[in-house]
Amino acid sequence: MQLFGILHVDNMEMFPLVLALGQGARRMHVSAAFSAKAKVSMSRFEPSNHVNYQQLNENVNIVRKRLNRPLTLSEKIVYGHLDDPVGQDIARGRTYLRLRPDRVAMQDATAQMAMLQFISSGLPKVAVPSTIHCDHLIEAQIGGAKDLARAKDINAEVYNFLASAGAKYGVGFWKPGSGIIHQIILENYAYPGVLLIGTDSHTPNGGGLGSVCIGVGGADAVDVMAGIPWELKCPNVIGVKLTGKLSGWTSPKDVILKVAGILTVKGGTGAIVEYHGPGVDSISCTGMATICNMGAEIGATTSVFPYNHRMKTYLEKTGRGEIAALADEYADLLVPDQGCQYDSVIEINLDELKPHINGPFTPDLAHPISDIGTTAVKNGWPLEVKVGLIGSCTNSSYEDMGRSASVAKQALDKGLKCKAAFTITPGSEQIRATIERDGYAKILNDVGGMVLANACGPCIGQWDRRDVKKGEKNTIVTSYNRNFTARNDANPATHAFVASPEIVTALAIAGTLDFNPEVDYLIAANGEKFKLEPPNADELPKKDFDPGQDTYQHPPAEGGAKLKVEVSPTSTRLQLLDPFDKWNGGDLEDMQVLIKVKGKCTTDHISAAGPWLKFRGHLDNISNNMLIGAVNIENDGINKIKNQLTGEYGGVPDVARHYKANGLSWVVVGDDNYGEGSSREHAALEPRHLGGRAIIVKSFARIHETNLKKQGLLPLTFQDPADYDKIRPDDKISIKGLKTFAPGKPLLAVVKHSDGTKVEFQLNHTFNETQIEWFQAGSALNRMKELQ
């Protein structure tokens, strides 16, 4: 193996290699192997960008010697991408790493702002392979083809902007109808050992293929596309040891539903979750992706599985046999070192794991399916299942569709159809075409299902739901990842539960939440009782995948220097960005508390999706949804706060605009895990745009905290969480100590009550020196321009 360390030598250095290789047939064979190792493309779309395990291996060896200990798999991949493996300070949970990711992926809702920021940078072309994926703007209404045609018409301006910006700046463009970003990445771009960042919180899906794929905000993507090292706080590593073997009704989804119940929505914050152990081999590659995908729901930086034969088979089936062969050569690099240490370890015996269903209103409320009926009755949750929805980026693989079809076929054979409405979302055009060819789509249709467009759809609130009225209490069951209040259908009374596709299908057939397919019976059309058998389906199609329609737009080979990207000044959907103002050099004085938020405040509460997605490229228009879902502690109202200048009550964005117009800066006060959920940086851009200066909370979700820093805001945490209770909704707050702002040094809050009394307390922060420069410059983008 040592010979492979001299692949990139100059021609004059090749003579010793010729002697080592020998002559004749053996030399030709080994030379071909060397050539293949040196020149395996990262993807078929980028033949000139190559997998570089050699560099990864060199960096890992440097770091392993420096740390003098075995490394976990996630450490190998992360540290193997260090900008400076020799000099980088490395301490889990403490230091900030400067990394060189291999590629960037953006979905259309976040790509708009990311590309607008990249345009503002003034750079001519992206520095790393990058792609845009059109999956978020397609509303589920009446069926796949018609919904897609409608979306193309309604969103033409945005799609044209993204396509033209991609062409100009060298970014690949996946057209609407291609599929969901994470499924496309798994099929085409993820591979063992790659470091990928994506502007979507479920980017970790790629961990099912041995990749470290991390969700970020658009400003982080701009850094990487600009060729600037990307910062990440050195993650802790949580080990999940899997023993036993999945069987029966238990699925990969149940692994992460169980883990979410153990760790809760913030238990993985600041950590990579690394699965290992003998149970790993019983899980398919796409099943591993499901587990990693939903790791976002425990706040994890990302999740990853070690390279194994399941990944190799998937690579070969998706046309990437060369990468699989190369990964085999470097297999030791793509698994954890013997004796490596995790910060904590969870053990799950797959032999004992039972099907789970999580919810409602939070993805970490875990119930074995045998308990859900009793629990629902006790809590007054509606038992009737109104809609079952399968698909999404979490569970839309060929295997998922096959297992659901296996359940549906049993019902059809007994003369039954779904009692609930039933929708199916294929993960990609390739999955859609293949399940059409192999008959799965027909079975799912025949049982009463509607196949939607290859897109996110109801999972992110893109659902024109009409079967219940807003405010009507009802239950839906999905194979999605999130079930926050009103996320799927904008109805806060909808009780959304998360389960595997096969369990969702069974519940849609039975029509009731308290149906347990492991033990309960259905009544066939002829009156006979029967039990559903556990689902059985192929992991991958026997006849290979049908690629379906070609939906990819290559950047022009000659470059895009002469191309123009037009943004109309009168557009309601796109708006060029103006730079934010710089720090004025002093403390922040007498900022008004805009809202003191009570309880859970996700990015859905801060910047709702659904109908607001159409404004993701227009900062001023989308700012009209800022914090309209947050609960005001003063009155338990939603989008109802007191304007302290007028004494009248109004919507949160309206009051914020009034303060800004009158030169009054403001601050938001919040609870635990503030900003959990999506990576959407609009939840940080909107407060900055409307005059916010600081967000003070008990704790932050990782991505949101970084997004706030990138936009020049101050994300601060109470040194004593009890200080949250000292703040009143009408207070004014000053933040002192900014002239000596430094890493690890707390800031001081001076709170003035309306009765003239004051209270002071310490505020912590996680800024490093570079991030303090972002704050002082007014944003990370401003700082990038200063350094050009």
Side-chain angles (χ1 to χ4, degrees), residues 74-382:
S74 50
E75 286 184 306
K76 288 182 179 182
I77 300 173
V78 172
Y79 304 162
H81 286 83
L82 285 169
D83 183 51
D84 178 13
V86 175
Q88 171 74 58
D89 189 14
I90 300 170
R92 285 188 197 168
R94 187 174 64 79
T95 58
Y96 280 87
L97 307 178
R98 291 166 64 81
L99 302 168
R100 292 284 185 179
D102 296 301
R103 65 181 310 119
V104 172
M106 299 166 280
Q107 41 96 334
D108 50 356
T110 50
Q112 295 170 65
M113 195 55 66
M115 293 309 297
L116 287 164
Q117 290 178 89
F118 188 81
I119 290 168
S120 297
S121 76
L123 296 168
K125 187 180 179 182
V126 296
V128 301
S130 303
T131 49
I132 293 168
H133 304 259
C134 294
D135 61 359
H136 270 57
L137 301 178
I138 303 167
E139 185 181 54
Q141 193 177 66
I142 55 177
K146 291 181 179 178
D147 290 347
L148 177 58
R150 179 169 170 265
K152 286 179 177 178
D153 179 50
I154 292 172
N155 302 310
E157 179 186 18
V158 170
Y159 292 148
N160 289 338
F161 166 74
L162 292 173
S164 60
K168 181 170 180 62
Y169 296 106
V171 179
F173 180 71
W174 288 85
K175 301 171 187 175
S178 301
I180 306 171
I181 176 173
H182 311 302
Q183 185 69 28
I184 298 290
I185 289 171
L186 200 71
E187 292 173 354
N188 298 280
Y189 298 116
Y191 60 84
V194 73
L195 177 61
L196 180 153
I197 66 164
T199 61
D200 189 279
S201 56
H202 292 103
T203 301
N205 191 77
L209 204 40
S211 311
V212 166
C213 299
I214 301 177
V216 300
D220 278 353
V222 172
D223 279 356
V224 178
M225 291 190 293
I228 297 171
W230 171 62
E231 282 197 341
L232 176 71
K233 195 167 192 178
C234 188
N236 290 315
V237 188
I238 297 172
V240 178
K241 184 178 181 180
L242 301 178
T243 58
K245 185 177 181 180
L246 287 176
S247 63
W249 283 93
T250 306
S251 73
K253 185 66 163 277
D254 298 306
V255 176
I256 186 59
L257 294 178
K258 176 72 172 177
V259 170
I262 294 168
L263 287 177
T264 78
V265 290
K266 62 176 184 175
T269 303
I272 293 178
V273 179
E274 185 171 313
Y275 293 84
H276 63 284
V280 166
D281 285 344
S282 77
I283 305 173
S284 67
C285 178
T286 51
M288 290 188 270
T290 290
I291 294 167
C292 292
N293 176 293
M294 206 176 151
E297 271 49 73
I298 56 173
T301 301
T302 193
S303 302
V304 68
F305 277 82
Y307 178 62
N308 68 358
H309 71 280
R310 309 298 283 261
M311 295 183 192
K312 178 179 181 178
T313 302
Y314 184 81
L315 286 168
E316 290 170 344
K317 275 285 189 180
T318 52
R320 293 173 288 170
E322 283 190 335
I323 294 180
L326 190 58
D328 283 347
E329 292 285 348
Y330 284 93
D332 288 347
L333 180 66
L334 305 172
V335 297
D337 287 341
Q338 287 285 337
C340 68
Q341 296 296 307
Y342 299 100
D343 293 285
S344 60
V345 176
I346 297 167
E347 292 198 27
I348 297 177
N349 184 342
L350 301 180
D351 289 334
E352 299 172 357
L353 183 65
K354 289 294 185 179
H356 273 61
I357 183 164
N358 286 22
F361 306 124
T362 185
D364 60 344
L365 188 57
H367 320 274
I369 195 164
S370 55
D371 298 346
I372 188 66
T374 305
T375 306
V377 171
K378 178 182 173 184
N379 288 288
W381 302 334

Side-chain angles (χ1 to χ4, degrees), residues 468-539:
V468 296
K469 294 178 181 178
K470 194 166 185 177
E472 183 180 336
K473 198 173 175 182
N474 74 101
T475 285
I476 65 171
V477 185
T478 83
S479 71
Y480 303 162
N481 40 49
R482 292 200 174 127
N483 56 348
F484 302 140
T485 302
R487 175 176 172 89
N488 301 124
D489 62 359
N491 180 5
T494 292
H495 292 56
F497 295 87
V498 177
S500 68
E502 50 265 50
I503 292 294
V504 172
T505 305
L507 294 180
I509 292 165
T512 182
L513 191 63
D514 59 355
F515 177 73
N516 179 0
E518 288 193 309
V519 297
D520 292 338
Y521 287 81
L522 294 169
I523 306 298
N526 64 3
E528 292 178 358
K529 287 174 64 178
F530 75 99
K531 261 178 67 175
L532 294 168
E533 294 296 321
N536 183 37
D538 291 332
E539 175 182 344

Side-chain angles (χ1 to χ4, degrees), residues 57-71:
N57 200 36
E58 289 172 2
N59 288 357
V60 167
N61 286 334
I62 290 168
V63 173
R64 190 188 286 111
K65 287 176 184 175
R66 284 184 55 205
L67 299 182
N68 194 30
R69 63 172 173 80
L71 300 178

Side-chain angles (χ1 to χ4, degrees), residues 559-634:
K562 295 180 180 178
L563 300 177
K564 287 188 176 182
V565 180
E566 301 289 347
V567 176
S568 168
T570 60
S571 173
T572 61
R573 298 199 58 180
L574 296 166
Q575 181 186 47
L576 293 174
L577 297 173
D578 292 322
F580 291 129
D581 60 324
K582 294 184 178 183
W583 173 57
N584 66 9
D587 290 332
L588 296 173
E589 303 281 358
D590 292 330
M591 298 180 292
Q592 183 67 56
V593 173
L594 176 70
I595 181 173
K596 183 179 179 182
V597 177
K598 177 182 177 182
K600 185 185 280 278
C601 191
T602 72
T603 49
D604 280 306
H605 294 87
I606 305 167
S607 177
W612 291 94
L613 283 169
K614 60 180 172 286
F615 297 126
R616 284 283 182 88
H618 197 293
L619 180 54
D620 194 56
N621 282 346
I622 198 168
S623 293
N624 290 322
N625 78 358
M626 186 190 73
L627 286 160
I628 62 174
V631 177
N632 179 11
I633 200 168
E634 179 191 11

Side-chain angles (χ1 to χ4, degrees), residues 377-577:
V377 171
K378 178 182 173 184
N379 288 288
W381 302 334
L383 285 179
E384 181 190 3
V385 174
K386 288 284 190 182
V387 191
L389 306 99
I390 66 168
S392 85
C393 64
T394 317
N395 277 110
S396 55
S397 68
Y398 183 81
E399 182 183 36
D400 287 328
M401 295 293 150
R403 285 172 69 88
S404 290
S406 170
V407 174
K409 178 77 163 56
Q410 295 178 58
L412 285 170
D413 288 347
K414 298 292 185 177
L416 297 185
K417 290 193 173 187
C418 290
K419 288 184 179 178
F422 186 42
T423 71
I424 302 97
T425 308
S428 67
E429 169 61 9
Q430 179 165 275
I431 295 296
R432 183 209 62 77
T434 308
I435 67 170
E436 289 272 1
R437 181 197 69 195
D438 292 352
Y440 292 166
K442 185 179 189 308
I443 293 169
L444 295 169
N445 266 309
D446 288 350
V447 84
M450 176 195 292
V451 178
L452 302 175
N454 314 322
C456 301
C459 183
I460 59 162
Q462 284 284 42
W463 184 16
D464 184 19
R465 188 181 181 192
R466 299 180 180 181
D467 64 303
V468 296
K469 294 178 181 178
K470 194 166 185 177
E472 183 180 336
K473 198 173 175 182
N474 74 101
T475 285
I476 65 171
V477 185
T478 83
S479 71
Y480 303 162
N481 40 49
R482 292 200 174 127
N483 56 348
F484 302 140
T485 302
R487 175 176 172 89
N488 301 124
D489 62 359
N491 180 5
T494 292
H495 292 56
F497 295 87
V498 177
S500 68
E502 50 265 50
I503 292 294
V504 172
T505 305
L507 294 180
I509 292 165
T512 182
L513 191 63
D514 59 355
F515 177 73
N516 179 0
E518 288 193 309
V519 297
D520 292 338
Y521 287 81
L522 294 169
I523 306 298
N526 64 3
E528 292 178 358
K529 287 174 64 178
F530 75 99
K531 261 178 67 175
L532 294 168
E533 294 296 321
N536 183 37
D538 291 332
E539 175 182 344
L540 294 162
K542 288 187 173 71
K543 294 186 281 186
D544 292 335
F545 284 105
D546 181 339
Q549 300 177 42
D550 182 5
T551 54
Y552 179 72
Q553 172 187 290
H554 288 269
E558 64 277 11
K562 295 180 180 178
L563 300 177
K564 287 188 176 182
V565 180
E566 301 289 347
V567 176
S568 168
T570 60
S571 173
T572 61
R573 298 199 58 180
L574 296 166
Q575 181 186 47
L576 293 174
L577 297 173

